[in-house]
Short mmCIF file of all heavy atoms in Angstrom, two decimals:
data_model
loop_
_atom_site.label_atom_id
_atom_site.label_comp_id
_atom_site.label_asym_id
_atom_site.label_seq_id
_atom_site.Cartn_x
_atom_site.Cartn_y
_atom_site.Cartn_z
N THR A 216 -22.37 -1.44 16.62
CA THR A 216 -22.42 -2.86 16.30
C THR A 216 -23.84 -3.39 16.49
O THR A 216 -24.51 -3.05 17.46
CB THR A 216 -21.46 -3.65 17.21
OG1 THR A 216 -20.13 -3.18 16.98
CG2 THR A 216 -21.54 -5.14 16.92
N VAL A 217 -24.29 -4.20 15.53
CA VAL A 217 -25.63 -4.79 15.62
C VAL A 217 -25.48 -6.16 16.28
O VAL A 217 -25.12 -7.14 15.63
CB VAL A 217 -26.28 -4.92 14.23
CG1 VAL A 217 -27.71 -5.46 14.36
CG2 VAL A 217 -26.30 -3.56 13.52
N ASP A 218 -25.75 -6.21 17.56
CA ASP A 218 -25.56 -7.44 18.33
C ASP A 218 -26.90 -8.15 18.49
O ASP A 218 -27.42 -8.29 19.60
CB ASP A 218 -24.94 -7.10 19.69
CG ASP A 218 -24.52 -8.34 20.46
OD1 ASP A 218 -24.38 -9.40 19.82
OD2 ASP A 218 -24.34 -8.25 21.69
N LEU A 219 -27.45 -8.60 17.36
CA LEU A 219 -28.73 -9.29 17.35
C LEU A 219 -28.58 -10.60 16.59
O LEU A 219 -27.90 -10.65 15.56
CB LEU A 219 -29.80 -8.43 16.66
CG LEU A 219 -30.15 -7.09 17.32
CD1 LEU A 219 -31.04 -6.27 16.39
CD2 LEU A 219 -30.85 -7.32 18.65
N PRO A 220 -29.19 -11.68 17.07
CA PRO A 220 -29.07 -12.96 16.38
C PRO A 220 -29.81 -12.95 15.04
O PRO A 220 -30.79 -12.22 14.86
CB PRO A 220 -29.71 -13.95 17.35
CG PRO A 220 -30.67 -13.13 18.15
CD PRO A 220 -30.05 -11.78 18.28
N ALA A 221 -29.32 -13.73 14.10
CA ALA A 221 -29.98 -13.89 12.80
C ALA A 221 -30.84 -15.15 12.81
O ALA A 221 -30.50 -16.12 13.50
CB ALA A 221 -28.94 -13.96 11.69
N PRO A 222 -31.94 -15.17 12.06
CA PRO A 222 -32.47 -14.05 11.28
C PRO A 222 -33.09 -13.00 12.20
O PRO A 222 -33.67 -13.32 13.23
CB PRO A 222 -33.54 -14.71 10.41
CG PRO A 222 -33.99 -15.91 11.20
CD PRO A 222 -32.76 -16.40 11.92
N ARG A 223 -32.96 -11.73 11.81
CA ARG A 223 -33.39 -10.63 12.66
C ARG A 223 -34.85 -10.29 12.41
O ARG A 223 -35.26 -10.08 11.27
CB ARG A 223 -32.49 -9.42 12.41
CG ARG A 223 -31.06 -9.69 12.89
CD ARG A 223 -30.10 -8.60 12.50
NE ARG A 223 -28.75 -8.95 12.94
CZ ARG A 223 -27.64 -8.37 12.48
NH1 ARG A 223 -27.74 -7.39 11.59
NH2 ARG A 223 -26.47 -8.75 12.92
N ASP A 224 -35.57 -10.20 13.50
CA ASP A 224 -37.02 -9.98 13.46
C ASP A 224 -37.31 -8.54 13.86
O ASP A 224 -36.96 -8.13 14.98
CB ASP A 224 -37.72 -10.95 14.41
CG ASP A 224 -39.22 -10.77 14.46
OD1 ASP A 224 -39.75 -9.93 13.70
OD2 ASP A 224 -39.87 -11.48 15.26
N PRO A 225 -37.94 -7.74 12.97
CA PRO A 225 -38.27 -6.35 13.34
C PRO A 225 -39.13 -6.24 14.58
O PRO A 225 -39.16 -5.19 15.23
CB PRO A 225 -39.01 -5.83 12.10
CG PRO A 225 -38.50 -6.68 10.98
CD PRO A 225 -38.28 -8.03 11.57
N GLY A 226 -39.84 -7.33 14.93
CA GLY A 226 -40.65 -7.30 16.13
C GLY A 226 -39.87 -7.56 17.41
O GLY A 226 -40.41 -7.40 18.51
N ASP A 227 -38.62 -7.95 17.30
CA ASP A 227 -37.79 -8.19 18.47
C ASP A 227 -37.52 -6.87 19.20
O ASP A 227 -37.22 -5.86 18.57
CB ASP A 227 -36.46 -8.82 18.03
CG ASP A 227 -35.54 -9.09 19.19
OD1 ASP A 227 -35.62 -10.18 19.76
OD2 ASP A 227 -34.73 -8.19 19.51
N PRO A 228 -37.63 -6.86 20.53
CA PRO A 228 -37.41 -5.60 21.27
C PRO A 228 -36.05 -4.97 21.01
O PRO A 228 -35.93 -3.75 20.95
CB PRO A 228 -37.56 -6.04 22.74
CG PRO A 228 -38.43 -7.25 22.69
CD PRO A 228 -38.07 -7.96 21.40
N GLY A 229 -35.00 -5.80 20.87
CA GLY A 229 -33.68 -5.26 20.60
C GLY A 229 -33.60 -4.59 19.24
O GLY A 229 -32.96 -3.55 19.07
N PHE A 230 -34.26 -5.21 18.25
CA PHE A 230 -34.32 -4.64 16.90
C PHE A 230 -35.03 -3.29 16.96
O PHE A 230 -34.54 -2.28 16.41
CB PHE A 230 -35.07 -5.61 15.99
CG PHE A 230 -35.00 -5.30 14.52
CD1 PHE A 230 -34.33 -6.15 13.65
CD2 PHE A 230 -35.63 -4.18 13.99
CE1 PHE A 230 -34.27 -5.88 12.29
CE2 PHE A 230 -35.59 -3.91 12.63
CZ PHE A 230 -34.90 -4.75 11.78
N ALA A 231 -36.19 -3.26 17.62
CA ALA A 231 -36.97 -2.03 17.70
C ALA A 231 -36.22 -0.92 18.44
O ALA A 231 -36.27 0.25 18.04
CB ALA A 231 -38.31 -2.31 18.38
#
Side-chain angles (χ1 to χ4, degrees):
T216 299
V217 183
D218 189 18
L219 297 170
R223 293 172 183 164
D224 179 4
D227 179 89
F230 191 113

